[in-house]
Amino acid sequence: MGLRYLIVRGQGMALAVDRHGRGGRGGPIIAMAAPPYANRTVILVCVLAFVLRLPPESFAFVPAYFFGTVELAGPLPTGALWRGLFGHVLVHGDLTHLLSNMAVLWLLGDVVEREVGHFRYLLLFLAGTVAAALTEGLLAADRMAPLIGASGAICALMGAFLWLRPRAGLLSRRLPRRLVQGAILVFALLNAAMTLVPLNAESPLAEVGWGAHAGGLAAGLLLGAVLILPGRGRANGGA
């Protein structure tokens, strides 16, 4: 008889088809999402970093190390610079900071990785990590103020999600997808306002990395257009 069903893997998806290219029993092809291994690994590492109490000051991104100050020349080619540039996403200030970031990363990161695949997900996450740190450093009033947390990288996934049309799950439906995309746009406008309007140094809002969010969103929006739109156009053309 031979093999009746094959699993054909694509960009984060697996299709159950028979040897004639049909779905089960001649029906439509069934799309089965590949597990979001990369996103779950990032979440696990962030949680472990918090549980093990890794010192945030050792992994924070300090803008002065890259851009310099009046008294300090930059960039400084030290381990602290590179460790902070990529490692700041792994450490969080408190439990609320960790849980809020991980909740959004779990809900949104899983969808993005299933749609674009493991490699492109990691590319978006790392691009958001670097863009968030550098944008925050450029806009920071105090370049010795450390940056920690995964929110900038998560914002890159938000930017990429604006280009997506998920093929499975709740967000494959038009209304839920539009609601999430609308919320992301409102969040982007809020970040733009907070970035442009000077905040009182004593305000709790001044502790938020608005510049990091803006940089991550921009990176995800631009890179997402390059990584997602060509594939979406081919999918629409073949429908």
Side-chain angles (χ1 to χ4, degrees):
M1 293 295 290
L3 181 64
R4 176 170 175 75
Y5 293 104
L6 305 173
I7 300 297
V8 182
R9 298 192 179 276
Q11 294 181 359
M13 302 291 289
L15 305 177
V17 301
D18 65 13
R19 55 187 169 186
H20 301 295
R22 298 188 298 262
R25 298 184 180 178
I29 294 175
I30 302 172
M32 298 180 296
Y37 297 121
N39 191 57
R40 299 294 176 84
T41 300
V42 170
I43 292 173
L44 178 61
V45 172
C46 289
V47 171
L48 285 176
F50 186 81
V51 171
L52 296 176
R53 298 187 178 184
L54 295 186
E57 61 273 11
S58 298
F59 291 88
F61 175 73
V62 180
Y65 293 170
F66 190 90
F67 295 100
T69 63
V70 175
E71 299 85 10
L72 181 68
L76 300 177
T78 64
L81 168 63
W82 301 110
R83 187 168 61 247
L85 185 61
F86 293 99
H88 71 272
V89 296
L90 303 179
V91 291
H92 293 80
D94 53 39
L95 186 59
T96 301
H97 190 200
L98 174 72
L99 292 179
S100 58
N101 275 353
M102 294 305 100
V104 178
L105 184 57
W106 182 27
L107 295 172
L108 197 62
D110 279 11
V111 175
V112 173
E113 185 178 356
R114 286 186 177 119
E115 292 299 316
V116 305
H118 311 308
F119 176 76
R120 292 181 181 182
Y121 163 87
L122 288 173
L123 192 59
L124 285 164
F125 191 88
L126 289 175
T129 296
V130 174
L134 297 184
T135 306
E136 179 68 18
L138 279 172
L139 300 177
D142 179 9
R143 289 187 171 173
M144 288 302 296
L147 173 69
I148 59 173
S151 56
I154 294 170
C155 284
L157 302 180
M158 290 182 179
F161 182 81
L162 294 175
W163 299 114
L164 285 177
R165 293 178 182 172
R167 293 165 285 182
L170 177 63
L171 294 181
S172 64
R173 301 176 182 177
R174 183 181 180 87
L175 180 59
R177 183 177 75 250
R178 292 300 188 194
L179 287 175
V180 172
Q181 290 173 335
I184 291 173
L185 289 174
V186 171
F187 180 70
L189 291 174
L190 174 63
N191 273 275
M194 290 297 181
T195 301
L196 297 173
V197 177
L199 294 171
N200 190 315
E202 297 180 359
S203 170
L205 294 177
E207 298 180 3
V208 179
W210 301 108
H213 296 169
L217 281 163
L221 196 62
L222 294 174
L223 186 57
V226 174
L227 297 179
I228 296 169
L229 284 183
R232 197 172 81 178
R234 287 193 298 269
N236 292 338

